[in-house]
Amino acid sequence: MSDSCRASRGRIRRLAGIAAIAVCAFTSFASAQIATAATLKAAFLYNFAKFSEWPADVLAAGQRLEMCVVGDAAVADALGQTIKGRAMEGHELTVTVLKVGESPSACHLLYVSASEMKRSAAVLLGARGASMFTVSDADGFAESGGVAQLIVENDRMRFAINIASAQRLRLNISSKLLSLAKIVKDQNNVPH
Amino acid sequence: MLALSGIATEATAQAGPLSTDLGRATLEDLLKIQITSASRKEQRADDTPSAVSVITQDEIRRSGMRTLPELFRLVPGVQVAQINSSTWAVSIRGLNDQFSNKLLVLIDGRSVYKRNSSGVFWDLEDVVLDDIDRIEVVRGPGGAVWGANAVNGVINVVTKSAKDTPGALVRVGGGTFDGTGVTARYGGSFGNAAYRVYSQWTGRRDTTLANLAPADDAWNVLTNGLRADWSRGGDDVTVDGSVRTGDGRGLWKTLEGPTSAVRRTDGTSSFRNGSVLGRWIHRRENGSALQVQSFAMFSHRLDKLTEDENIYDVDLQYHTKIGARHDIVTGGGYREVDNTTSQTFSFSLTPATSETAVTHVFTQDEIALGTRVRLTLGAKLEHDAIAGWGLQPTARMMWDPSPRHHVWAAASRALRTPSRLDLSARANVAAIAARPLPILIGVLGNPDYQTEELLDAEAGYRIDLGSRVSVDVATFRGHYTGLTTNEPQAPVIEATPGPPHVLIATRFENHLQADTAGVEIATHVAPAPNWRVDASYSGFRFTPHRDATSRDQAAATFDGNAPAHQWQLRSSVSLGPRTEVDAGLFRTGAQRSLGVPAYTRADARVEVKLTGHLSAVAAARNLFDPAHAEFVALAVASTQVPRSADIQLVWRF
C-alpha cells in the first residue's frame, strides 16, 4: 500500500468514512505493480544489504560494499540498475558478476542462482567462514546453511532467513527484515 | 470496512506497466508485487534443447487477437491461414491443410487433434483468452514425448490455475468481424482449493467473397466451464470440465448423385461437445514426481455429415533423478476413440463406426556430461491396430558455453500414422454429363496406406544479452518419406448408386518423398523500460521427390503448402500507467501450389485503464487491406478475410 494510503487509514480510524477507504483501495489497486522475477530478486538483494550489518573487520567505514552474482545475467543487470547513484550509510555499492571458478572472497553479499547451484558448490564452500551474506533461489538453500533464500509463491516473491547461519557468520540482520521473513532452522549439519 | 479495503488491495494486480526500478519500494511493497510470467518464459525456454517459443499472457493480451488460432501467428515457423469464418489451417514447418495432420495441439493436457480425420476443429475451441497463462509452441518433431502425429510440432495451451484467477472478470465486446462476445468468469477459493466458473459467448460475422460481398458463413459458440485446483503438501489435483455448443453457416461443397452438379451448399452447421479432465501430481521430498491424468470427451457434430465421437484417455508420467547425472521422465498411456460418421454421397468412411485404441510407453533421460553439456535421449513406442508398432527416438544435446549463450542440436524420427480417412475415404467431388454413361470424379482412400515418416536434424542458438535483448535462432533439415500422393486409377463402371456411371478416381498412396530446410529467427528488444519490440523471420524450403512410379502431376511441383518467407515486427509501448499502444506488421509470402498471393497484415491496439477495475480496448486488424485470401481448402469453400475492428470493455473485481 502506498504511503499516502497508510496515512489516510490512520485518519480514517478517526473519521470513520467508508468513501475514504474506497478511494484508497481504488488507488492502491490502480497502482498495483508487476515486475519480472529478476527485477524483484535484485530489489530484495538490495534490501538485504540495506537491513544488515557486517562486522567492522569485514566492512570498514567508507569501504565499498561488494555484491556478487553467479549464474543470472538478468539479476546482475537489474541489481546494477537498482544501485545506480545509491550509497548505503557511506558505503559505495558495486555489483560483480562472478564467473564459474572465480573466488568470491571479496564479496560481502553473494547471490547464486538455482541453475548454477550444481556447478557452484565450490563457490559456496569458499564462502563459508567468511562473513558473506549468501542468497539463492535454490530449493532448500536456507535449510542447508545459506543465509537467505528467495521463494516464488503464488506469483509473489517471498524470502526465508536462517538466523543461525547469519549469527555464525557474524552478520547482524535488522529485526525489520526478520519480521517479514520466514524463519528457517538448520536441517543439515554444516561443517564450518 | 477495513476488511473491504484489504480484499481490494489483495486482489490480483491488473496487468500494467512493468516496474524496472524497485529501489524505492519498501519491503512490504516488494512482497505484494506480482511476478510476470515473462520471467518464467525466459527460464523455461532457455533451458530446452528444442525450438521452443512461449507466448505469454501479456503478449496474448497485447496482440489484440480474439481467437486462439490467430495467436499462433506470433511465433516464427508457424503457418496460420484463415479459410473462412470458422475454419483455419494451422501447421508448423510446412504441409499445412485445413486438417493439418502433422501438428499436435493440447489444451491443458487434453488433445484436440482428431485422429480419425487428422486435424483440429478450431471453431470448437473457444478458450477464455484472459485466463491463458501461456502457449508453448515446440517446432520440430515431438514424437518421442508426445507421440505420433506430433511430426512437425506441438502447441500446448496452458490456462492459469484457478488459484491465479480469483475474483470476477466480465468482458463485453463488439466488432465488425470478430471480437463480438461476452465473457463472465468468477474465481473463488475455500481452504486449499480454488475454483473458477466461466461462460463465454463468441460471435463471428461473415468473411467476404472475392467481390467483397458477405460470404454468409457467420457462426457463434457458447462455452461453459469449470476448473478446480487443490493442493496440499506435495499433492496437486486439477479438475477441468467444459461444455460447448455452437452453430453457424457452414460452407461446403456437396454432390447429391452421379448426375447432379456440385453445389456450394450454405447449410447450417452445428455441434455440441463436452470434456472433463482430472490430473493428480504427487511430489516427493526426494524431488521425484508422479503425474496421473485422465480425460473424456464427447462430441456431436452436424454439418456436411453427422459425426459422433467419444474419447477416453489415461496417461501416467514419472519424473525422477538417478545419481547426480540422470534426470529421467518415463510414462505410458492408453486412449480409445469411438467414432461414428454418417455416410453421404459426397463423402463417406467405411465402416461408418470404428473403435480405435492406441497404447504408448515413452522414456527420456537427460544426462549431465560435465558442467556445461547435457545429452537427452528419448524414445516413444506406440501401438494401434491400424499401424501396428511405431518407434520414435530422439537425441538432443545442450551446450552452455556461458550463462548467456545456449547452443543445442537434435536428431529425431517422427511418424504420422494412417487415419480412417486415409484408409477408407470415398469422396465424390464432381459429376460430368457424358454419353453413353455419366462420369463421376472421385477420391478414394487406400486400405494399404502407409505410415509417413520424418527424419530430422535441427540446431539452434540462443543469446541473452541482459534483460534488454535476446535472440533465438533455430535451423532444421528434414527428410519425409511416404507423403500423400493422389494416384489416378483406371476408370471403372459402377452400377450403384444409380444411375450407372463411369468412376474416374484418384487414390491416396505414399509416393512422395521430400526434403525440407528452414530457419527461424526471433528477437526481443527493450529499447526503453516501457517499450518492447519483437521481430521474427522464418524461411522455409520444400523440395519434392516424386517416386518414378507415381502419376500425380501436382506432387512433382508441390511446395509444401507453406510460404518461403514470413516475417513480423511488433511493438508494445506503455504510455504511463494507464495507456498501452501496440502495433504489429505481419508479412506472409506467396503460396504457389495453392495459388494464394503474398499479403501483409497490419494490426493496432490501444488499451486505456479508465478506473482501477475497468479497461477499454480498441483494436483493428488488416488495417490496410479491405480483404485478402489466405488459403484454398478442398473440403470447404474458401473465402477472403476482411479488415476488422472491435471495441472491448473489461471489468475486473
Side-chain angles (χ1 to χ4, degrees):
Chain A
M1 216 185 293
S2 63
D3 290 335
S4 60
C5 249
R6 232 173 277 120
S8 68
R9 257 170 117 197
R11 253 186 289 125
I12 281 151
R13 282 197 199 97
R14 293 194 290 271
L15 301 177
I18 298 175
I21 294 176
V23 166
C24 190
F26 265 49
T27 49
S28 294
F29 197 98
S31 63
Q33 291 173 293
I34 58 169
T36 62
T39 316
L40 271 170
K41 285 177 187 167
F44 275 108
L45 293 175
Y46 171 70
N47 276 279
F48 291 161
K50 191 162 148 186
F51 291 105
S52 307
E53 274 167 24
W54 278 258
D57 55 319
V58 169
L59 184 65
Q63 191 182 343
R64 266 202 317 210
L65 200 160
E66 306 251 5
M67 313 212 297
C68 303
V69 175
V70 181
D72 196 330
V75 171
D77 284 335
L79 191 54
Q81 292 278 345
T82 308
I83 63 168
K84 253 194 204 134
R86 295 195 167 104
M88 212 171 266
E89 283 171 26
H91 300 289
E92 191 194 321
L93 298 164
T94 63
V95 178
T96 315
V97 175
L98 284 188
K99 299 185 205 23
V100 174
E102 224 179 290
S103 159
S105 48
C107 302
H108 296 102
L109 183 139
L110 175 68
Y111 170 76
V112 182
S113 93
S115 57
E116 277 294 315
M117 195 55 77
K118 294 178 237 185
R119 308 169 220 178
S120 301
V123 175
L124 286 162
L125 285 172
R128 295 218 179 95
S131 284
M132 195 172 320
F133 194 126
T134 52
V135 188
S136 177
D137 56 347
D139 274 337
F141 182 71
E143 285 154 355
S144 319
V147 178
Q149 184 180 331
L150 293 169
I151 303 159
V152 173
E153 220 172 69
N154 281 338
D155 275 354
R156 303 275 187 302
M157 193 153 295
R158 303 275 177 266
F159 62 100
I161 294 192
N162 183 331
I163 301 187
S165 289
Q167 283 170 347
R168 250 197 314 268
L169 296 166
R170 301 185 294 143
L171 294 166
N172 188 4
I173 300 186
S174 123
S175 55
K176 172 158 176 90
L177 197 59
L178 293 176
S179 68
L180 292 168
K182 296 179 190 244
I183 302 299
V184 161
K185 298 193 172 61
D186 259 349
Q187 296 263 320
N188 312 320
N189 257 330
V190 179
H192 53 274
Chain B
M1 283 186 280
L2 282 170
L4 211 81
S5 72
I7 290 169
T9 51
E10 219 102 5
T12 308
Q14 273 196 8
L18 200 65
S19 308
T20 49
D21 181 11
L22 297 174
R24 277 175 303 157
T26 63
L27 274 169
E28 290 88 342
D29 285 342
L30 291 180
L31 291 170
K32 289 209 179 89
I33 294 177
Q34 186 181 17
I35 306 172
T36 71
S37 59
S39 58
R40 286 207 291 272
K41 155 191 175 169
E42 275 136 35
Q43 273 181 325
R44 183 191 310 270
D46 271 356
D47 235 17
T48 315
S50 299
V52 180
S53 301
V54 177
I55 307 172
T56 61
Q57 164 57 224
D58 215 52
E59 285 175 88
I60 291 170
R61 189 174 59 81
R62 298 186 76 159
S63 68
M65 293 165 182
R66 303 304 316 153
T67 341
L68 191 60
E70 292 287 315
L71 289 171
F72 308 142
R73 292 182 197 268
L74 301 174
V75 177
V78 182
Q79 289 86 43
V80 178
Q82 184 161 9
I83 302 172
N84 59 41
S85 189
S86 59
T87 42
W88 277 260
V90 179
S91 78
I92 295 179
R93 296 184 177 172
L95 295 164
N96 201 1
D97 193 68
Q98 179 191 356
F99 295 112
S100 189
N101 58 27
K102 296 174 179 51
L103 173 67
L104 181 65
V105 183
L106 302 163
I107 297 182
D108 282 334
R110 176 175 59 89
S111 166
V112 298
Y113 175 91
K114 292 174 66 64
R115 208 179 168 100
N116 268 298
S117 52
S118 298
V120 180
F121 282 108
W122 291 110
D123 50 2
L124 283 177
E125 304 298 340
D126 190 39
V127 179
V128 174
L129 299 182
D130 304 278
D131 289 340
I132 296 180
D133 180 59
R134 64 190 185 276
I135 301 176
E136 297 170 345
V137 179
V138 181
R139 291 144 16 226
V145 178
W146 302 106
N149 311 312
V151 171
N152 282 352
V154 182
I155 294 181
N156 192 9
V157 179
V158 181
T159 64
K160 296 180 189 171
S161 161
K163 290 178 262 181
D164 295 328
T165 56
L169 176 132
V170 176
R171 175 186 279 269
V172 175
T176 60
F177 169 59
D178 56 0
T180 302
V182 182
T183 305
R185 177 261 281 157
Y186 181 75
S189 64
F190 46 91
N192 291 332
Y195 66 89
R196 80 164 160 264
V197 291
Y198 60 91
S199 187
Q200 174 163 282
W201 181 89
T202 299
R204 295 178 63 86
R205 298 184 195 224
D206 304 319
T207 51
T208 67
L209 303 171
N211 61 5
L212 300 187
D216 193 19
D217 59 349
W219 60 277
N220 59 79
V221 188
L222 176 65
T223 307
N224 293 302
L226 159 76
R227 176 174 169 150
D229 291 281
W230 174 86
S231 62
R232 192 173 75 176
D235 289 295
D236 292 298
V237 176
T238 300
V239 175
D240 194 332
S242 54
V243 289
R244 279 165 284 264
T245 59
D247 59 70
R249 308 282 299 161
L251 297 177
W252 53 80
K253 302 167 184 165
T254 58
L255 191 63
E256 318 273 279
T259 49
S260 58
V262 174
R263 302 188 303 122
R264 203 202 76 173
T265 310
D266 302 2
T268 302
S269 187
S270 70
F271 62 83
R272 55 176 185 270
N273 78 8
S275 62
V276 61
L277 176 145
R279 177 166 54 237
W280 171 48
I281 303 177
H282 176 69
R283 284 177 241 270
R284 305 228 197 91
E285 287 91 29
N286 61 4
S288 66
L290 173 70
Q291 173 177 299
V292 182
Q293 174 176 290
S294 182
F295 72 82
M297 280 172 62
F298 312 98
S299 69
H300 172 79
R301 187 178 187 97
L302 178 68
D303 55 38
K304 185 151 108 175
L305 2 102
T306 312
E307 186 185 8
D308 284 274
E309 186 168 271
N310 300 336
I311 303 178
Y312 310 95
D313 183 291
V314 65
D315 193 274
L316 266 86
Q317 285 191 27
Y318 181 63
H319 178 202
T320 187
K321 296 194 212 284
I322 295 183
R325 290 187 187 282
H326 293 265
D327 192 313
I328 297 183
V329 183
T330 190
Y334 174 81
R335 175 180 306 183
E336 188 179 297
V337 179
D338 302 330
N339 180 295
T340 302
T341 305
S342 68
Q343 296 172 313
T344 66
F345 186 76
S346 276
F347 182 82
S348 62
L349 296 170
T350 309
T353 302
S354 80
E355 242 180 58
T356 333
V358 183
T359 317
H360 71 89
V361 290
F362 81 93
T363 192
Q364 179 180 289
D365 184 4
E366 184 190 272
I367 307 165
L369 304 173
T371 54
R372 295 182 203 277
V373 180
R374 282 173 286 144
L375 173 67
T376 303
L377 298 175
K380 183 166 209 159
L381 188 62
E382 195 166 282
H383 179 269
D384 75 63
I386 301 169
W389 292 97
L391 181 70
Q392 299 177 86
T394 187
R396 299 177 171 266
M397 180 96 84
M398 185 91 189
W399 173 41
D400 302 321
S402 86
R404 292 179 194 266
H405 299 257
H406 309 273
V407 180
W408 63 270
S412 322
R413 176 184 194 237
L415 302 173
R416 207 273 300 176
T417 52
S419 66
R420 215 148 65 96
L421 187 129
D422 298 313
L423 298 165
S424 70
R426 167 68 191 260
N428 294 317
V429 289
I432 302 170
R435 303 251 184 83
L437 293 172
I439 295 172
L440 184 62
I441 311 290
V443 178
L444 304 174
N446 179 355
D448 294 323
Y449 191 86
Q450 302 295 300
T451 299
E452 297 170 16
E453 178 194 63
L454 168 66
L455 295 173
D456 164 284
E458 319 168 66
Y461 172 62
R462 280 182 205 111
I463 179 163
D464 174 18
L465 302 166
S467 48
R468 299 203 149 203
V469 184
S470 70
V471 182
D472 190 330
V473 182
T475 67
F476 63 94
R477 293 188 79 89
H479 181 75
Y480 289 89
T481 41
L483 293 176
T484 310
T485 54
N486 296 297
E487 302 296 338
Q489 304 294 295
V492 292
I493 297 179
E494 274 188 336
T496 58
H501 51 270
V502 177
L503 174 68
I504 298 181
T506 61
R507 193 171 72 158
F508 296 138
E509 292 191 25
N510 306 86
H511 291 312
L512 179 63
Q513 271 60 253
D515 291 312
T516 56
V519 64
E520 292 133 14
I521 305 171
T523 69
H524 306 286
V525 182
N530 63 338
W531 183 21
R532 176 187 160 110
V533 176
D534 301 281
S536 70
Y537 166 78
S538 43
F540 178 76
R541 190 177 68 220
F542 183 93
T543 312
H545 303 289
R546 197 178 54 146
D547 286 353
T549 54
S550 169
R551 291 179 300 139
D552 181 345
Q553 304 286 39
T557 53
F558 187 41
D559 70 352
N561 274 0
H565 308 282
Q566 277 181 235
W567 57 260
Q568 62 177 270
L569 185 63
R570 290 180 284 132
S571 159
S572 298
V573 182
S574 298
L575 300 174
R578 292 181 186 275
T579 314
E580 292 172 343
V581 178
D582 311 301
L585 197 63
F586 303 83
R587 172 77 178 170
T588 305
Q591 297 173 82
R592 194 179 26 84
S593 288
L594 293 171
V596 175
Y599 62 89
T600 307
R601 166 174 161 153
D603 290 2
R605 171 192 177 270
V606 177
E607 173 169 341
V608 178
K609 267 193 247 304
L610 301 173
T611 74
H613 295 296
L614 174 64
S615 279
V617 182
R621 289 164 289 281
N622 283 311
L623 277 169
F624 303 134
D625 203 357
H628 64 258
E630 295 185 359
F631 204 77
V632 174
L634 296 169
V636 296
S638 313
T639 56
Q640 305 212 347
V641 180
R643 176 160 41 208
S644 66
D646 71 285
I647 294 184
Q648 308 275 323
L649 289 174
V650 188
W651 281 270
R652 289 186 174 87
F653 302 92

